[in-house]
Amino acid sequence: MFAADTSPGQNPAPRPPARPPARGQRDAFFDNAKYLAIALVAMGHSWEPLKGDSRVLEALYCVVYAFHMPAFIIISGYFSRNFDMRPDRLKRLVTGVVVPYVLFETGYSLFERYVNDSPGQDISLLDPWYLTWFLCALFVWRLTTPVWRAVRHPLPLAFGVAMLASVSPSIGDDLDLQRVLQFLPYFVLGLCLRPEHFALVRRWPVRIAAVPVFALALAFSWWSVPRMNTAWFYHRDSAQELGVPWWCGPVMVLAMFGCSMVLTAGFLSWVPGRRMWFTALGAGTLYGYLLHGFVVKYADHAGWFDPRWLHGPRGEILVTVIAGTVVTLLCSAPVRRVFRFAMEPDMAWAFRQDAAELARGRQSPREREGQDGRRTAGV
């Protein structure tokens, strides 16, 4: 493993530090983390029709829901650190977030109305349905990134916003603002993180400690299944709407954040940092996220989860494997090519060409790289 000379009287040569990915290259660690998080999201959705018959599965469901979206949101915040109001970044925000939101919000509503026989399902861009809430939230979070980068104490301020939201039932369902605001601290935390923070959780002591931590979390979750409302994990309701005193809202915001951070650190400690067979799928996690919902909703409507044998351990394992396989295929390159028109449309025809962008186009690659380095220095 080590090529250093360890003969007596000599100190072993230190291992060279890991080289960061070159500019323009994707980081395998984050692609691996995104794929594994989205795979857990799909598995969690596939467990929903089954978990009522299995206390163990419901306990596992609660543990997964405590960290899979927080982990994904933290990574989204980390990669939003350089977002500003530059025209090209605003264009990407529109084409990569707003356009998919409009298309999939409409698509899910029509799917529910005509395929799943729900004629009362309305098309409303102000009321995100099922999975599309994340796109709405990402738009709001990313658009406010310059504010969080400017204030002196962004994370405490984000906690204040989340705790106020948790005691404000009058917020309603427009744009799913409860989720947007209650998940806000995770995104702001991602904005505040640096590469060395992720390196800390990838050390072997953390990986070893994560084993008893997850075991304890699963045991506690099994104990709490009949005693706790799992709606707390969704962050979509205020304390009053969940039938508890108002002060429980701020307490649960802090408690859920603490639990999520411990489990997220354990999850990230196990994520491999080298290229794996699934690393390339990390570039297509939004595809897997938005498309797998159609499969889950149709399977539930068609009664695929109804056979009794699926509600036992073997059936639950089979459903988990199928869900992981389906979301893996939906993240693959062929699927991305087919649905790129909806997820990553070019839409150059819809925007004015900015003078600064034209000037960048006339620069040499080395000049553009130097300019980007100066622009992002200190972030």
Side-chain angles (χ1 to χ4, degrees), residues 32-334:
N32 292 338
K34 289 194 297 180
Y35 164 76
L36 294 173
I38 288 302
L40 289 173
V41 170
M43 293 174 185
H45 287 151
S46 73
W47 294 340
E48 289 177 358
L50 307 176
K51 64 185 179 68
D53 297 323
S54 171
R55 186 169 175 178
V56 172
L57 185 63
E58 190 157 3
L60 184 60
Y61 175 89
C62 292
V63 171
V64 169
Y65 263 73
F67 75 89
H68 67 357
M69 283 309 296
F72 197 75
I73 293 169
I74 288 170
I75 294 173
S76 299
Y78 177 76
F79 282 101
S80 298
R81 293 171 301 158
N82 293 339
F83 182 84
D84 53 27
M85 296 301 175
R86 211 173 71 185
D88 61 324
R89 288 175 177 159
L90 290 174
K91 291 176 186 177
R92 285 197 294 271
L93 182 63
V94 171
T95 57
V97 178
V98 176
V99 171
Y101 171 73
V102 172
L103 293 178
F104 277 87
E105 177 64 24
T106 304
Y108 269 116
S109 299
L110 294 175
F111 181 84
E112 187 70 7
R113 180 187 295 181
Y114 295 111
V115 178
N116 285 354
D117 299 326
S118 298
Q121 179 67 43
D122 295 327
I123 299 175
S124 173
L125 298 182
L126 296 179
D127 187 10
W129 191 77
Y130 198 34
L131 303 176
T132 56
W133 73 268
F134 178 72
L135 291 176
C136 185
L138 187 60
F139 175 76
V140 175
W141 295 332
R142 192 163 287 173
L143 203 61
T144 59
T145 292
V147 176
W148 302 111
R149 300 292 298 171
V151 298
R152 189 180 295 274
H153 302 293
L155 194 55
L157 181 59
F159 272 119
V161 172
M163 288 189 285
L164 286 175
S166 71
V167 297
S168 304
S170 60
I171 288 179
D173 297 327
D174 288 349
L175 301 180
D176 222 341
L177 278 179
Q178 276 289 356
R179 272 177 166 166
V180 173
L181 299 178
Q182 289 195 36
F183 273 117
L184 176 64
Y186 302 96
F187 183 81
V188 174
L189 175 63
L191 293 176
C192 299
L193 292 179
R194 297 180 181 178
E196 54 265 31
H197 296 129
F198 289 96
L200 286 175
V201 301
R202 297 170 62 188
R203 297 178 301 170
W204 273 109
V206 180
R207 295 176 183 177
I208 296 171
V211 176
V213 165
F214 271 96
L216 181 62
L218 187 59
F220 178 81
S221 180
W222 185 88
W223 172 84
S224 66
V225 161
R227 299 172 174 85
M228 179 179 172
N229 188 347
T230 56
W232 287 110
F233 294 105
Y234 307 142
H235 298 277
R236 66 186 178 198
D237 299 296
S238 65
Q240 295 92 322
E241 291 172 305
L242 294 178
V244 296
W246 68 268
W247 55 265
C248 292
V251 170
M252 288 301 292
V253 166
L254 295 175
M256 294 296 295
F257 185 86
C259 293
S260 297
M261 287 303 95
V262 172
L263 294 177
T264 298
F267 166 71
L268 292 177
S269 73
W270 290 342
V271 172
R274 64 185 184 279
R275 290 194 63 83
M276 309 290 289
W277 65 265
F278 54 80
T279 300
L281 300 174
T285 49
L286 186 61
Y287 291 78
Y289 175 77
L290 290 174
L291 292 172
H292 88 272
F294 291 106
V295 180
V296 173
K297 284 296 182 182
Y298 181 77
D300 194 19
H301 172 74
W304 293 357
F305 294 103
D306 293 345
R308 291 303 308 168
W309 67 273
L310 284 179
H311 294 249
R314 293 182 181 177
E316 292 161 0
I317 293 173
L318 176 62
V319 168
T320 302
V321 172
I322 292 175
T325 302
V326 168
V327 77
T328 298
L329 294 175
L330 293 178
C331 293
S332 64

